Amino acid sequence: MRVKDYIPVAFVITVTVVAGFYILSVEPRSSASIHHDHGTDSHAKAGDAKRGDDTDTHVRDEHGHDHDADKHEGSEHGEVSHGTATHKEHGHEADSHPGHQDHDIAQKGPHGGRLFREGCFGVEVSIVEKGMPPMFRVYGYEDGKPVDPKDVQVSMEVKRLGGRVSEYRFQPKGDFLHCDTVIEEPHSFDVNVAAVHEGKTYHWEFSQVEARVELVPRVAKTVGIEVETAGPTHIRSVLELPGEVALNADMVCHVVPRVSGVVAEARKNLGDFVQAGEVVAVLESRELADARSRYLVYMTREELAFTNFRRIKNLWENKVTPEKEYLDSQKAYQEAKIERLASAQKLRALGLSGEELKALSHDSDKSMIAYELKAPFDGVVITKHISKGEFVQDNADVLCIADLSTVWVDIIVYADNLDAVHVGQRATVRVDANHLTAVGTVSYVGPVVGEKSRTARARVVLDNSHGKWRPGMFVTVRLIKEEASVPVAVKRGAVQKLDQFGDSVFVRYGDFFEVRPVELGRGDSTNVEVLKGLSPGEKYASARSFVIKSELGKGGLSHSH
């Protein structure tokens, strides 16, 4: 908003107030050049020269514009203005827009529109938008009486900021001329009206301004407004879902002793690293001692049976011993061998290796009862339920070892987002608290939706060789739903939601920013696609556009439909 104080001697002091900033400028000006500055509303034209023989009295309003002193607004005949006239009022049939910057008050016709006259002929121009999109409607008059619309031909040329020009052609409809082309918002433009009646051509002009703010580049820069050019860009549509870091269940082992016994040694504590095959605890087990003793007995019995079988075989081959004795020795040897093998299998089931079985006959008495618990793979002890001297059962979960070189991220997928999540999809996992970020791919999407939670589970496997991802962390997972190149996009911060226009951006033309309603499409965290309302190459306020919105609100520019 601009406020000017005038000094009638030599200077004009201009104070510009924008978003709380006061910007002062002093301009030299002679007293002869002092006038009222209306910004964009300054449309003083010499239309009064074409008054013909009319001798209407004129008065000057508070803005310095001339008006007919004896006009009868809304009279039966609809008093009209002559010749070329510039107006700042939005004529709406049975509807008005109180927020327009209108200073030259045009006369209104019986239908609430602008009324223009030259000689005996005149037209009333209105914008009708109640219960329908805004469209122009024209009524013809001769000597103040309605003219059959079939006897009038009307066309309009509408010019907007930036040089955009639209042509409107009218056809008779009922008692008026109608154009079925929708007038795009905002209704801020210069209009040239051309009408032909009884072979004579008439011309009128009018202008109206709404949803427009003047901010010179110096002021815009001071308040931080940035201007960019609308154009093509690459849009990444992102879906953000909550998740939690979890252990890689494929690399977690609960160490359980295969025999009961008393703990003789507990070599590892919570958080200790272990290697595959490393002894983590030692038990003293009577059950293991019995199994080893039986194995030694069966091994000795097998050796004796084999020796006896070989001796009798030699005798039988020399026809000294009968065949029955030979067969009995062979049977005894086979039975001893089977018993030894069965005992060895039991020891293997208890965790003894082949090398340990071979060396068993040389072990001391202490080694007969010692049972060693070993780590199945490299990892970290994450739980421990074992202490020296306690008795543990053969099904006790005494230690839990996890390989944390990889972790899972369990994603909570809401039912309405299931179609957007699929195996192989790229995912970015983020922890805002410590700015930790990693990239992975979706390896699993659950086929079942929870009955109570109404969500499904998806999974991302992350490398954790550095150990920064700790199970139990809450994370945010960003999934790329769609990637596409779009012809027109703007910065997300440029879009403002206005009550009268909806989603809008502020397009810059010289020193002016004007509202441009837009239809938005796909978007990401930075840009948003513009489907309708903005063309490539147009300049718009990309940052701090809310300052312009604030200035627009101060001007009271509303659009009442």
Side-chain angles (χ1 to χ4, degrees):
M1 304 295 296
R2 299 176 64 90
V3 179
K4 292 193 175 183
D5 294 330
Y6 299 97
I7 301 174
V9 179
F11 297 97
V12 174
I13 301 176
T14 302
V15 181
T16 305
V17 184
V18 179
F21 290 86
Y22 292 82
I23 301 172
L24 178 67
S25 62
V26 179
E27 302 174 4
R29 186 173 301 181
S30 65
S31 59
S33 64
I34 296 175
H35 65 282
H36 288 282
D37 187 357
H38 294 285
T40 60
D41 295 337
S42 184
H43 291 277
K45 297 183 180 180
D48 294 338
K50 291 185 64 179
R51 296 290 184 173
D53 296 329
D54 293 338
T55 59
D56 295 340
T57 302
H58 294 80
V59 297
R60 183 173 298 273
D61 66 7
E62 61 177 341
H63 299 290
H65 293 278
D66 291 334
H67 302 291
D68 294 336
D70 61 345
K71 65 182 179 182
H72 301 283
E73 184 174 330
S75 65
E76 178 180 359
H77 298 291
E79 195 70 30
V80 300
S81 58
H82 296 271
T84 302
T86 300
H87 298 276
K88 297 286 185 179
E89 184 183 16
H90 196 163
H92 287 253
E93 180 172 322
D95 186 22
S96 64
H97 287 209
H100 297 298
Q101 296 178 350
D102 300 330
H103 300 294
D104 290 312
I105 307 300
Q107 290 184 326
K108 290 186 178 180
H111 302 90
R114 289 183 178 83
L115 202 55
F116 305 99
R117 188 183 68 182
E118 184 175 346
C120 297
F121 179 72
V123 295
E124 178 184 356
V125 179
S126 65
I127 296 179
V128 183
E129 53 187 332
K130 274 194 173 181
M132 60 183 291
M135 297 180 183
F136 282 116
R137 183 176 292 183
V138 178
Y139 298 86
Y141 298 95
E142 187 170 13
D143 292 328
K145 297 180 181 180
V147 173
D148 189 338
K150 295 180 181 178
D151 296 334
V152 182
Q153 293 82 43
V154 175
S155 64
M156 287 188 190
E157 183 182 72
V158 175
K159 298 180 180 179
R160 297 178 181 269
L161 288 181
R164 294 182 299 143
V165 179
S166 301
E167 298 285 344
Y168 293 84
R169 303 293 177 181
F170 293 80
Q171 299 295 328
K173 184 177 180 180
D175 62 344
F176 55 84
L177 291 156
H178 175 72
C179 179
D180 58 4
T181 302
V182 176
I183 309 171
E184 69 177 80
E185 302 280 7
H187 295 167
S188 186
F189 36 60
D190 297 326
V191 180
N192 292 321
V193 182
V196 178
H197 177 61
E198 294 182 349
K200 186 177 180 180
T201 301
Y202 302 85
H203 292 279
W204 295 278
E205 296 179 358
F206 69 92
S207 300
Q208 65 182 44
V209 175
E210 71 173 18
R212 187 184 298 175
V213 173
E214 181 181 10
L215 286 177
V216 297
R218 174 175 54 85
V219 176
K221 183 178 180 180
T222 301
V223 298
I225 297 172
E226 297 179 7
V227 177
E228 296 189 31
T229 303
T233 191
H234 193 72
I235 294 288
R236 285 186 174 181
S237 181
V238 176
L239 174 66
E240 288 197 352
L241 296 172
E244 182 179 356
V245 179
L247 295 169
N248 184 340
D250 295 333
M251 299 301 294
V252 176
C253 176
H254 295 271
V255 179
V256 178
R258 301 182 187 185
V259 295
S260 301
V262 177
V263 179
E265 296 180 53
R267 299 183 180 179
K268 295 296 179 180
N269 294 311
L270 287 175
D272 287 349
F273 288 90
V274 298
Q275 295 180 334
E278 183 179 359
V279 176
V280 296
V282 178
L283 305 181
E284 292 180 346
S285 172
R286 185 174 60 182
E287 179 185 350
L288 179 61
D290 291 341
R292 283 174 169 169
S293 299
R294 284 193 297 271
Y295 176 76
L296 292 176
V297 170
Y298 294 142
M299 185 173 61
T300 302
R301 186 180 297 174
E302 180 188 8
E303 291 176 353
L304 292 173
F306 178 71
T307 302
N308 186 52
F309 167 70
R310 187 171 55 183
R311 181 182 63 81
I312 295 177
K313 181 181 179 182
N314 289 333
L315 294 174
W316 175 70
E317 289 176 348
N318 293 323
K319 306 213 183 275
V320 174
T321 302
E323 182 179 7
K324 182 178 182 306
E325 188 175 349
Y326 162 72
L327 294 175
D328 289 342
S329 65
Q330 185 182 40
K331 177 183 177 183
Y333 166 64
Q334 293 294 336
E335 289 175 348
K337 183 179 181 180
I338 290 172
E339 289 177 339
R340 194 266 306 171
L341 292 173
S343 179
Q345 290 297 325
K346 184 174 182 179
L347 288 174
R348 286 180 180 275
L350 294 177
L352 272 69
S353 64
E355 294 297 326
E356 290 175 321
L357 288 175
K358 290 179 181 179
L360 185 59
S361 59
H362 305 290
D363 286 346
S364 64
D365 292 340
K366 185 177 180 181
S367 66
M368 294 291 289
I369 63 173
Y371 178 77
E372 295 179 340
L373 281 171
K374 298 179 180 180
F377 47 70
D378 295 349
V380 179
V381 177
I382 60 173
T383 61
K384 176 185 177 183
H385 303 289
I386 185 173
S387 298
K388 183 177 180 179
E390 73 171 312
F391 179 81
V392 295
Q393 297 288 346
D394 57 0
N395 60 353
D397 184 359
V398 296
L399 289 172
C400 183
I401 298 174
D403 181 357
L404 298 179
S405 61
T406 61
V407 293
W408 287 355
V409 175
D410 291 331
I411 309 170
I412 300 174
V413 184
Y414 304 105
D416 55 352
N417 290 326
L418 278 172
D419 291 342
V421 182
H422 53 83
V423 174
Q425 191 172 14
R426 187 173 181 268
T428 301
V429 184
R430 185 181 72 250
V431 180
D432 293 330
N434 55 8
H435 306 290
L436 192 60
T437 303
V439 177
T441 56
V442 177
S443 61
Y444 166 81
V445 178
V448 178
V449 174
E451 184 175 345
K452 294 183 179 179
S453 65
R454 310 311 304 166
T455 61
R457 291 277 177 170
R459 181 182 303 143
V460 175
V461 181
L462 294 182
D463 175 74
N464 191 37
S465 55
H466 51 64
K468 293 183 179 180
W469 294 99
R470 298 177 182 271
M473 283 182 169
F474 290 105
V475 299
T476 300
V477 182
R478 300 181 65 194
L479 302 173
I480 305 299
K481 293 173 60 177
E482 182 183 9
E483 294 187 67
S485 294
V486 298
V488 186
V490 296
K491 297 296 183 183
R492 186 169 289 278
V495 180
Q496 296 291 330
K497 188 173 288 293
L498 305 178
D499 293 338
Q500 60 270 41
F501 300 118
D503 291 329
S504 304
V505 298
F506 292 97
V507 181
R508 192 187 80 175
Y509 301 100
D511 293 346
F512 299 99
F513 287 93
E514 187 174 88
V515 171
R516 181 72 63 80
V518 291
E519 181 180 337
L520 303 178
R522 296 162 291 184
D524 54 25
S525 59
T526 304
N527 302 302
V528 60
E529 179 185 14
V530 178
L531 299 175
K532 185 178 180 181
L534 198 64
S535 300
E538 292 193 272
K539 296 185 180 298
Y540 67 97
S542 61
R544 294 183 64 83
S545 59
F546 62 85
V547 175
I548 307 175
K549 178 181 177 181
S550 174
E551 291 302 305
L552 193 66
K554 292 177 184 178
L557 299 181
S558 63
H559 191 124
S560 175
H561 288 281

